[in-house]
Amino acid sequence: MSSKETGSNDEPMKASRRSFLKYAAAGAGAAATSAGMAGNAAAQEAEAEVAPTVPAEIADRNAAPLPKIEFPMTGANLFGRACAAEGVAALFCCPGNYNIIHAIADQGIPSYSGRHEGAMTSAADAFIRATGELAVASGTEGPGFTNMISGLAAANSSRTPLLLVASNMRVSMDDTESAIQVMQQQPLTTGIKKYGKRLITPERLAEYVGYTFRQLKTGIPGPVHIDFTAEVSNHEIKSEAELGYYGDSGLYRTDSRPAPSTTDLTKAIDLINASQRPMIVASTGVFYSKAWDALMSLAEKAQIPVVESGPTMGKFPHNHPLSASAAPDALPSADLVILVGQYCMPSAGEYAFGPEAKYIRIQPEALDIGRNMPINVGIVACEKLALEALADMVRKTDRASWINEIAAARKSFQAQNDEYYRIGSGYTDAVHPAVIAKELGDFLYRGELAPEQTTVVAGGFGIARYTRRYLEAHRPGQVINGAYQFGSIGPDVAYAVGVGAGVQQGAGVQASVKGSPIINITGDAGFGFTGMELETQAKYRLPVVNIVYNNNSWGTWYSSRDLPRGAQLHLFQENLRYDKVAEGLGAHGEYVQTPDQFLPALKRAYEIAAEEGIPSVINCQAKKEFWIREQYEPGFLGKVEPGVMSYYH
Amino acid sequence: MIAMTVPEVLQTYVQRGVFQDFRPAADKKMFDFVWLNYQRMRVQWQPAQQTIYFRDVIPNVAARSKMDQEIRAFLRGRTTADLPEHRRVDPDAFDLVCENRKSQMSVGIRLKTGTEEEGTRQLMAVMHETFIFLHQRWPEYMYESFGSPLE
């Protein structure tokens, strides 16, 4: 790996180049608040001398020798070996659960440590959502584990096949309160995992490795929580023979997938043929079954528009003429809705499809089909196999009038967004969210960058209501829906650690953009939860441009602003300098106070990310009153699902 | 095919799982059910006036307020020629009507030449789209009046 990629401490962050960029801009009037510092070369030199540096152990981590793991080995090493054999692509952790994290790292699995176990759980979740590959989150027993619970719940809502592992004290210490951190973990994750197990019988570890990866790799995905008592992780396994058939993944699980029945397919084809205005909702299962080619075949052959939902966007390119992801006005016209892998199921009225619409649902397990919404046809099958079969069976169809309606709806949505930008750019004393959203979209998709290049973490609260409207996904995994379903607004910086790691590695579906910068959108409230993970981004040289929408308040302020005692509970200090926090943590900082400063700052940050691998914070100074419609049209925006605005389902 | 009556059409939404907890009055002129946002709604059928109403379906909207005006404009837009035919309320067949009494808005459809079945289905579609409009344009209202998440 080159020093450019690693950011070796031999090159202390190229401070002089970044200073040049920053102060050149200040000289042009683009960074007004830097003006007082400009020209103070001596002070800059002094700062550079004490700039954060990446230690060689991190910078050169991939060059370190891999220990040879042989029998006899510990239970921890057996688990690490299984993770490698099953294709685990990353580990995110904080120190603790030492046996396990060291065993995983010793397998050569890319391993990252951060500042908070919850944040690392979110990073692992996002890595999986962005790449489609497996990842492990690990924390120590007691508080390390409890810190991870919120991240696990979010992964569960997103149906992420996350492997959460935590250490635990010895079984022999149960109920004693001897030493510290004795607790039962599994009851605390009830309802927020697909499968969980406290491992207490050392001789059965290999068997539970089988349980773990069967759950992670089959059926509707979801997180698995394993807690290792010390007896299990320290247990010595003398030889391969002790594992029995659990030493071979081909014997303890299958890659076979359920195929659709001909009867169900025929019923579905009849409905499609009878439909005037069918629409496919491409959701979570399309991503995890890698069904995008089959989806394209079906959509194009039968001329069926596709709208996206789910925690990851890009299963169908938004610039395709059949994409309805940015055509919300057309959704109520659909007379047949084909929900493909829609694991997180909306209730009546939550999706914009009208009350007359008929429904086909496709997913690999029957248990959920029919929940919340009635079905006309249910197809129990792997989404990819079902879409391939439907594409084979469906007849070529011309739906010109329906496709024209979709195009008109896209145009109408864009016109509405353009109007929001026109209004927002007229507010010149602070940065309106429409300015960030529109100019970011133009920069990513209509400028010098290839539209498919940049992966985006679409997080934040109020800002997200704007940016989602302008974000586009042109390939699988290009946009990660941060707050999906569980509604956490805090993990965005941590999500960007996971996505940044996935792109840095070129893991899974991010292979085509390996090493590219990524964008993370968050708010000032969200930044407060995981902002310290900027240090994690910086130390691993993850090229993340973090856009922080800073309106001095929680997004909840505007609905509580008239409460005499309650309103202050929703406020922060004003004009906080998250950009300076970034600089202190080894990242680059930009402070943007007026609309005209945003795009130049974005360009600088992106260039630094691309050329030096260094993350940035663009601290966009807004104001909380932008959410008040009576004062600042268009105010706080609502949303329509499914499509680009979708994040509940 | 014989067109269905208002009660018969409403019953189809029960069978298809769109409505929950459907409670028709004995005279089949008032119907209670749970639908959008898991809210209890009331449909009133007035045969003499040939009008079907969602009664007090949009609460807490001051008459002549900006929101009142925007909702009325949205409803007028449901009859314009630039909407696709399958979405348009044909003004020759139906009138869309809207009342605001004590800040409770009712939305209805008056049958002119259209049938009860067409009118009921059109009103259902309009009501559904009105809620989409409210979610998109007035999220804080949906939070305060319908318990939608603000997040």
Side-chain angles (χ1 to χ4, degrees):
Chain A
M1 184 176 284
S2 70
S3 60
K4 180 175 151 184
E5 288 172 295
T6 61
S8 161
N9 62 345
D10 294 332
E11 296 178 276
M13 299 184 55
K14 301 188 178 179
S16 59
R17 172 176 165 70
R18 289 188 291 115
S19 298
F20 167 76
L21 285 165
K22 180 170 182 176
Y23 296 110
T33 58
S34 300
M37 294 183 283
N40 191 344
Q44 290 307 306
E45 286 303 315
E47 279 187 21
E49 285 173 12
V50 296
T53 54
V54 178
E57 293 90 335
I58 295 174
D60 302 332
R61 63 194 184 282
N62 292 332
L66 285 175
K68 200 165 187 178
I69 309 297
E70 296 176 317
F71 289 102
M73 68 174 70
T74 63
N77 278 325
L78 178 71
F79 185 77
R81 192 183 79 149
C83 285
E86 289 281 13
V88 168
L91 163 70
F92 297 89
C93 65
C94 288
N97 197 14
Y98 307 106
N99 294 337
I100 298 293
I101 62 174
H102 296 155
I104 292 173
D106 283 349
Q107 292 290 331
I109 294 171
S111 300
Y112 306 85
S113 75
R115 295 306 190 106
H116 188 279
E117 292 88 347
M120 291 299 95
T121 307
S122 299
D125 180 359
F127 180 94
I128 299 163
R129 291 198 224 171
T131 66
E133 302 297 308
L134 292 185
V136 172
S138 173
T140 190
E141 58 262 33
F145 160 69
T146 54
N147 281 345
M148 301 170 84
I149 292 175
S150 185
L152 180 68
N156 188 61
S157 294
S158 298
R159 312 306 198 266
T160 305
L162 165 73
L163 176 50
L164 184 148
V165 296
S167 53
N168 214 327
M169 304 301 281
R170 303 185 69 82
V171 179
S172 58
M173 292 166 63
D174 270 3
D175 307 319
T176 62
E177 293 191 316
S178 171
I180 55 172
Q181 301 175 343
V182 177
M183 67 178 292
Q184 294 286 332
Q185 295 181 12
Q186 293 297 328
L188 272 67
T189 56
T190 301
I192 52 172
K193 63 191 169 193
K194 181 179 179 186
Y195 173 76
K197 189 70 182 176
R198 180 177 191 233
L199 302 184
I200 57 173
T201 310
E203 305 78 47
R204 296 183 68 188
L205 171 60
E207 182 182 346
Y208 281 106
V209 166
Y211 273 91
T212 298
F213 287 102
R214 270 198 305 276
Q215 293 286 343
L216 288 167
K217 293 202 161 190
T218 59
I220 292 175
V224 170
H225 166 207
I226 301 295
D227 70 285
F228 283 86
T229 56
E231 287 93 336
V232 173
S233 57
N234 290 326
H235 174 63
E236 184 179 278
I237 301 153
K238 291 190 172 53
S239 71
E240 192 84 38
E242 285 186 32
L243 307 180
Y245 75 87
Y246 294 109
D248 181 348
S249 66
L251 299 176
Y252 65 71
R253 64 173 185 82
T254 176
D255 287 323
S256 179
R257 295 289 178 266
S261 86
T262 306
T263 307
D264 294 340
L265 290 170
T266 303
K267 287 180 187 170
I269 291 291
D270 288 346
L271 281 177
I272 292 170
N273 288 341
S275 166
Q276 298 293 308
R277 294 176 301 280
M279 186 171 287
I280 296 170
V281 180
S283 196
T284 316
V286 174
F287 181 69
Y288 286 112
S289 69
K290 298 181 168 55
W292 38 83
D293 289 338
L295 173 65
M296 182 66 77
S297 296
L298 173 62
E300 289 188 336
K301 186 175 176 188
Q303 289 292 288
I304 304 176
V306 178
V307 62
E308 288 208 84
S309 70
T312 300
M313 297 290 190
K315 303 166 291 278
F316 194 85
H318 292 185
N319 59 344
H320 192 284
L322 288 170
S323 174
S325 287
D329 287 352
L331 302 181
S333 289
D335 60 2
L336 173 67
V337 178
I338 306 167
L339 296 162
V340 188
Q342 179 75 59
Y343 303 144
C344 180
M345 193 61 200
S347 300
E350 288 195 284
Y351 272 3
F353 306 116
E356 304 293 338
K358 294 177 173 152
Y359 287 90
I360 298 171
R361 277 189 75 181
I362 302 170
Q363 56 186 53
E365 294 177 7
L367 284 173
D368 199 59
I369 294 181
R371 179 171 64 88
N372 286 359
M373 303 266 274
I375 48 161
N376 296 85
V377 175
I379 299 178
V380 180
C382 162
E383 291 86 351
K384 184 180 180 187
L385 296 179
L387 290 170
E388 286 172 347
L390 287 171
D392 282 345
M393 293 172 69
V394 78
R395 70 182 182 209
K396 282 190 177 177
T397 312
D398 178 11
R399 301 184 201 274
S401 130
W402 179 215
I403 306 309
N404 288 340
E405 186 179 339
I406 299 290
R410 269 202 308 268
K411 197 172 171 186
S412 162
F413 184 63
Q414 188 177 330
Q416 186 181 51
N417 292 338
D418 288 346
E419 176 62 7
Y420 290 165
Y421 176 66
R422 188 194 64 75
I423 296 169
S425 56
Y427 305 129
T428 55
D429 58 340
V431 188
H432 190 271
V435 171
I436 297 170
K438 170 73 160 56
E439 295 187 0
L440 174 64
D442 287 348
F443 175 73
L444 293 177
Y445 314 120
R446 282 168 286 282
E448 295 175 1
L449 301 175
E452 66 278 6
Q453 175 173 303
T454 311
T455 307
V456 177
V457 177
F461 177 68
I463 180 66
R465 299 294 180 106
Y466 280 86
T467 49
R468 284 195 184 100
R469 290 171 157 261
Y470 297 84
L471 292 175
E472 299 174 11
H474 299 265
R475 57 168 172 83
Q478 191 171 1
V479 175
I480 311 307
N481 221 336
Y484 183 76
Q485 174 54 206
F486 196 61
S488 304
I489 55 128
D492 299 328
V493 180
Y495 284 146
V497 169
V499 174
V503 174
Q504 186 183 57
Q505 288 179 33
V509 297
Q510 301 295 339
S512 63
V513 294
K514 180 177 181 177
S516 296
I518 74 159
I519 299 286
N520 172 39
I521 302 154
T522 190
D524 48 354
F527 187 88
F529 283 82
T530 54
M532 272 304 292
E533 301 306 335
L534 279 175
E535 198 273 321
T536 310
Q537 294 179 5
K539 77 175 179 179
Y540 290 115
R541 289 297 189 258
L542 303 176
V544 184
V545 178
N546 298 278
I547 298 170
V548 180
Y549 181 72
N550 176 5
N551 66 352
N552 309 318
S553 67
W554 294 86
T556 52
W557 168 81
Y558 83 105
S559 59
S560 304
R561 64 185 184 275
D562 296 329
L563 302 176
R565 291 287 179 120
Q568 62 89 15
L569 299 173
H570 302 261
L571 298 177
F572 307 130
Q573 297 175 82
E574 303 203 341
N575 309 315
L576 289 174
R577 298 299 300 272
Y578 302 108
D579 51 310
K580 289 187 177 292
V581 173
E583 290 173 353
L585 293 174
H588 171 71
E590 295 273 356
Y591 190 39
V592 171
Q593 295 175 281
T594 55
D596 58 300
Q597 294 172 347
F598 175 70
L599 187 58
L602 175 62
K603 287 179 176 173
R604 285 192 294 273
Y606 200 94
E607 184 182 346
I608 289 167
E611 294 193 357
E612 303 176 44
I614 291 173
S616 294
V617 162
I618 304 176
N619 180 10
C620 300
Q621 189 62 61
K623 52 181 165 186
K624 58 188 183 300
E625 290 80 6
F626 279 152
W627 296 151
I628 304 173
R629 185 173 300 109
E630 294 77 13
Q631 294 178 31
Y632 293 96
E633 278 281 358
F636 189 85
L637 296 182
K639 63 177 178 58
V640 176
E641 295 197 0
V644 292
M645 293 179 274
S646 176
Y647 72 99
Y648 283 11
H649 299 98
Chain B
M1 187 181 290
I2 300 170
M4 288 191 273
T5 63
V6 172
E8 288 170 341
V9 180
L10 292 175
Q11 186 64 43
T12 66
Y13 294 109
V14 182
Q15 288 158 338
R16 293 182 47 245
V18 178
F19 295 161
Q20 296 175 24
D21 197 17
F22 187 68
R23 299 177 189 172
D27 62 2
K28 298 287 182 72
K29 291 179 183 171
M30 189 67 86
F31 308 86
D32 270 21
F33 49 85
V34 173
W35 185 28
L36 300 168
N37 272 62
Y38 285 101
Q39 295 294 308
R40 183 158 289 283
M41 298 178 168
R42 284 186 304 138
V43 163
Q44 183 183 29
W45 166 227
Q46 298 174 309
Q49 292 81 16
Q50 286 288 288
T51 306
I52 313 160
Y53 264 111
F54 271 86
R55 281 290 173 203
D56 302 336
V57 68
I58 309 175
N60 311 320
V61 179
R64 292 179 293 281
S65 65
K66 183 176 183 183
M67 187 174 175
D68 176 289
Q69 290 167 14
E70 286 196 7
I71 291 170
R72 289 174 188 275
F74 175 80
L75 292 170
R76 280 194 299 276
R78 301 302 89 198
T79 62
T80 55
D82 56 343
L83 273 183
E85 192 178 341
H86 52 269
R87 292 270 289 280
R88 190 164 72 99
V89 176
D90 179 0
D92 293 333
F94 306 100
D95 280 335
L96 276 179
V97 289
C98 180
E99 294 177 355
N100 190 333
R101 292 180 183 169
K102 296 181 180 175
S103 299
Q104 309 288 306
M105 293 188 83
S106 300
V107 177
I109 196 165
R110 185 176 300 121
L111 314 185
K112 290 157 79 176
T113 61
T115 65
E116 289 183 33
E117 178 173 357
E118 289 173 320
T120 308
R121 294 194 191 283
Q122 295 252 10
L123 179 61
M124 284 286 294
V126 165
M127 208 64 254
H128 171 71
E129 291 191 39
T130 304
F131 267 66
I132 295 171
F133 167 74
L134 292 171
H135 276 295
Q136 188 170 12
R137 174 66 175 153
W138 300 91
E140 67 280 8
Y141 167 80
M142 295 304 288
Y143 164 69
E144 290 163 2
S145 295
F146 288 96
S148 290
L150 195 56
E151 285 80 10

